[in-house]
Amino acid sequence: MKINIEIDCTPTEARTFLGLPDVTPLNEHLVGEMQRRMDENMARMQPEELMKTWASFGVQATEQFRSMMGMAATGATKP
């Protein structure tokens, strides 16, 4: 025997009926915190700032990568 029951209610009503906690305040706090952090970091997401950051590591990172590949190719353990 198969019985289907259809209940028409909102998600809030379903959570209340099932005894689940109301996490709305926690969700609002987390979303607010994420928005605050995004706003604080907007300056870092500017193209000019990204290029400055990446460019400062460019030469050094390239040299380290070349050195690492050279050591790997020769089997050396020290530069």
Side-chain angles (χ1 to χ4, degrees), residues 64-79:
Q64 287 179 345
F65 181 75
R66 189 195 61 73
S67 175
M68 182 179 66
M69 289 295 115
M71 287 188 302
T74 61
T77 57
K78 293 182 182 178

Side-chain angles (χ1 to χ4, degrees), residues 20-58:
L20 298 172
D22 181 15
V23 294
T24 303
L26 177 61
N27 186 49
E28 289 173 356
H29 174 73
L30 290 174
V31 170
E33 181 66 18
M34 289 173 59
Q35 289 174 335
R36 183 187 67 77
R37 289 182 184 190
M38 286 176 58
D39 290 341
E40 287 177 357
N41 292 317
M42 280 298 192
R44 293 182 188 156
M45 297 175 75
Q46 299 297 324
E48 297 85 15
E49 293 297 319
L50 287 173
M51 290 307 293
K52 285 179 190 175
T53 303
W54 293 346
S56 67
F57 294 114

